[in-house]
């Protein structure tokens, strides 16, 4: 079973509707298809990716002329998309972000790309195709998946564990016992970012639900249950129990993500509750040796290795306007943008869901562990 973090919603349009709209709209010989593309323009990586797109567009799509619209970023871009959604002026293709995508999709203004990418084989380029799927099983956005393998893990200082004879916990109770032992000897058990409720309200709550009953975590995402569910209540109680046991640093509610990570990398805490995007940095540390493990099971019979969380939202990525005059060509432009995005990240050595064939160099032991886990999960889940 797989769980994916995303924004829930309803609605959406399909290819069949699009085909009805585009009948008789073929371009004249020699004419170029004109499309409008809006991208994030405030992010350094996205700016470089746009350069790749502009440099290679003419060769890849010679019959397409693109009007590039800078979208800004963050709240500014979200507000711009909301305005376009309300006025019916969405671009043919835009870089969607989860904070604005739910309303656009619910209004039926985000094309269902599932049939397109399946029939033209584009979906075959993904190691884990299901990571693109929204909770309704459809694909609305395309991305290279640089964040597909971002998932919660507990990093630990191997020297501290060896010094005090600590074993990797197999159950939540064992983790709680480790935290109590470390607290007794004066060592901060686990650094977590508590500022603004980041850890407890975001990944810890979902993780604590998942380690007891993964189906409840999925049901929450699909609005089939709510936080009055007994499993959700148990999850919240476990977070409180860890806090009362002294698992977290003093003043954790004021501890930022950066400060929590630095507490661990400087050796002041034995563990760090973070995400796998930290793997490259953790593997490069010279003063301490770091390993990682999954949040352990809170219920007998629940195998935590059989579920995971995809933290790359399926509503992040290149989306297509279903009301555009040339939807099929717009889909091709979205696919091309993903190819360029993947090329950029692959050349940086990133691990991607979209397979480019570009060699990224030797994987570290930590990255091999993440990769082998994901591939084994894919095999067992018949993805």
């Amino acid at each position: 079973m797989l769980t994916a973090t995303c924004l829930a919603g309803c609605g959406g349009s399909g290819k069949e509707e699009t085909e009805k709209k585009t009948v008789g709209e073929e371009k004249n010989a020699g004419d170029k298809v004109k499309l409008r593309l809006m991208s994030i323009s405030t992010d350094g990586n996205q700016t470089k990716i746009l350069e790749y797109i502009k440099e290679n567009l003419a060769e890849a799509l010679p019959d397409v002329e693109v009007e590039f619209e800078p979208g800004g970023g963050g709240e500014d871009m979200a507000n711009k998309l909301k305005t376009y959604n309300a006025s019916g002026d969405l671009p043919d293709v835009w870089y969607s972000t989860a904070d604005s995508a739910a309303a656009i999709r619910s209004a039926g203004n985000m094309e269902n790309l599932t049939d397109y990418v399946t029939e033209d084989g584009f979906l075959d380029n993904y190691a884990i195709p299901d990571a693109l799927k929204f909770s309704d099983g459809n694909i609305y956005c395309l991305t290279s998946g640089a964040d597909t393998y971002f998932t919660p893990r507990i990093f630990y200082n191997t020297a501290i564990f060896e010094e005090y004879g600590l074993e990797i916990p197999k159950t939540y109770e064992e983790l709680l016992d480790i935290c109590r032992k470390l607290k007794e000897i004066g060592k901060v058990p686990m650094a977590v970012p508590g500022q603004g409720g980041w850890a407890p309200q975001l990944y810890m709550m979902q993780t604590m639900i998942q380690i007891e009953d993964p189906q409840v975590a999925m049901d929450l995402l699909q609005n089939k249950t709510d936080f009055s569910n007994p499993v959700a209540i148990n999850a919240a109680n476990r977070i409180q129990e860890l806090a009362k046991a002294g698992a977290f640093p003093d003043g954790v509610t004021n501890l930022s993500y950066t400060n929590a990570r630095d507490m661990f990398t400087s050796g002041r805490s034995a563990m760090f509750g973070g995400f796998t995007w930290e793997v490259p940095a953790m593997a490069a540390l010279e003063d301490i040796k770091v390993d990682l493990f999954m949040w352990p099971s809170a219920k007998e019979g629940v195998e935590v290795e059989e579920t995971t969380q995809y933290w790359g939202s399926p509503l992040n990525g290149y989306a297509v306007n279903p009301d555009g005059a040339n939807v099929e060509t717009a889909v091709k432009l979205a696919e091309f943008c993903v190819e360029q995005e993947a090329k950029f990240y692959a050349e940086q050595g990133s691990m991607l869901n979209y397979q480019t064939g570009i060699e990224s160099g030797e994987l570290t032991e930590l990255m091999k562990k993440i990769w082998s886990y994901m591939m084994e999960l894919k095999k067992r889940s018949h993805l």
Side-chain angles (χ1 to χ4, degrees):
M1 178 185 172
L2 299 168
T3 64
T5 59
C6 59
L7 296 177
C10 59
S13 55
K15 185 179 178 182
E16 184 177 344
E17 295 178 6
T18 299
E19 288 174 341
K20 293 178 182 177
K21 297 173 190 173
T22 56
V23 171
E25 293 182 357
E26 294 184 10
K27 65 184 180 62
N28 296 322
D31 292 343
K32 285 193 174 186
V33 175
K34 295 182 179 181
L35 298 174
R36 184 166 139 235
L37 169 66
M38 188 169 81
S39 60
I40 297 174
S41 56
T42 57
D43 178 88
N45 285 341
Q46 290 296 329
T47 300
K48 292 175 183 176
I49 291 166
L50 185 59
E51 293 176 1
Y52 277 51
I53 292 171
K54 290 180 177 180
E55 288 174 4
N56 300 303
L57 177 64
E59 181 178 353
L61 299 172
D63 296 328
V64 176
E65 180 180 325
V66 175
E67 175 190 346
F68 295 96
E69 178 180 350
E75 187 175 353
D76 288 341
M77 184 168 180
N79 288 335
K80 183 178 289 188
L81 286 169
K82 289 175 184 176
T83 300
Y84 286 160
N85 183 48
S87 64
D89 192 32
L90 284 166
D92 296 285
V93 179
W94 72 94
Y95 195 92
S96 168
T97 55
D99 51 0
S100 60
I104 296 174
R105 195 194 68 84
S106 295
N109 293 331
M110 186 178 286
E111 180 72 350
N112 182 349
L113 305 174
T114 310
D115 288 345
Y116 296 101
V117 297
T118 301
E119 293 173 9
D120 67 12
F122 189 78
L123 194 60
D124 296 337
N125 295 310
Y126 289 89
I128 305 178
D130 272 24
L132 295 174
K133 294 180 180 178
F134 189 60
S135 58
D136 64 1
N138 292 317
I139 297 171
Y140 298 98
C141 296
L142 300 178
T143 175
S144 65
D147 53 3
T148 297
Y149 304 101
F150 294 164
T151 191
R153 289 292 186 272
I154 297 177
F155 295 89
Y156 71 98
N157 185 319
T158 60
I160 293 177
F161 267 56
E162 290 172 4
E163 180 180 356
Y164 297 107
L166 304 175
E167 301 289 337
I168 296 176
K170 301 298 182 184
T171 67
Y172 163 76
E173 291 298 332
E174 290 179 2
L175 174 63
L176 183 62
D177 187 52
I178 286 174
C179 290
R180 286 171 174 156
K181 288 179 179 178
L182 288 166
K183 182 67 174 180
E184 288 176 3
I185 61 178
K187 178 68 70 174
V188 174
M190 186 189 303
V192 297
Q195 190 176 69
W198 199 90
Q201 293 179 15
L202 189 60
Y203 76 89
M204 285 187 71
M205 186 62 184
Q206 178 160 314
T207 300
M208 288 296 180
I209 292 171
Q210 181 179 313
I211 63 176
E212 180 178 344
D213 190 337
Q215 186 58 53
V216 173
M218 181 63 78
D219 288 347
L220 278 167
L221 290 173
Q222 297 176 344
N223 292 323
K224 295 179 180 179
T225 188
D226 57 32
F227 287 96
S228 66
N229 187 296
V231 174
I233 294 172
N234 291 343
N237 289 338
R238 277 191 288 274
I239 297 173
Q240 292 180 356
E241 187 175 34
L242 283 169
K244 291 178 180 178
F248 311 131
D250 292 338
V252 65
T253 56
N254 295 316
L255 195 64
S256 69
Y257 185 93
T258 300
N259 289 338
R261 182 191 59 208
D262 291 348
M263 179 176 286
F264 173 72
T265 58
S266 64
R268 288 177 288 148
S269 71
M271 295 176 284
F272 172 58
F275 280 79
T276 50
W277 63 60
E278 295 290 350
V279 165
M282 295 294 181
L285 292 174
E286 297 181 354
D287 295 334
I288 64 173
K289 183 179 179 182
V290 177
D291 206 338
L292 53 77
F293 58 85
M294 301 183 70
W295 285 83
S297 174
K299 182 180 180 180
E300 185 176 356
V302 174
E303 301 292 336
V304 295
E305 295 83 3
E306 294 182 358
T307 60
T308 193
Q309 298 173 31
Y310 295 137
W311 277 80
S313 169
L315 294 181
N316 281 348
Y318 292 95
V320 173
N321 185 347
D323 295 322
N326 295 279
V327 177
E328 291 192 23
T329 305
V331 173
K332 290 299 180 184
L333 175 60
E335 292 177 344
F336 168 73
C337 290
V338 170
E339 292 170 352
Q340 299 308 300
E341 179 185 278
K343 179 182 178 182
F344 169 78
Y345 282 121
E347 290 175 353
Q348 308 305 308
S350 298
M351 192 173 175
L352 303 173
N353 189 10
Y354 186 93
Q355 304 299 286
T356 64
I358 298 174
E359 293 293 332
S360 59
E362 183 68 22
L363 295 177
T364 65
E365 290 302 315
L366 286 180
M367 189 58 78
K368 287 179 182 177
K369 182 176 288 189
I370 296 297
W371 179 253
S372 62
Y373 164 74
M374 287 291 188
M375 293 301 101
E376 181 61 27
L377 182 66
K378 174 187 175 184
K379 186 190 307 180
R380 291 200 303 268
S381 302
H382 309 290
L383 296 180

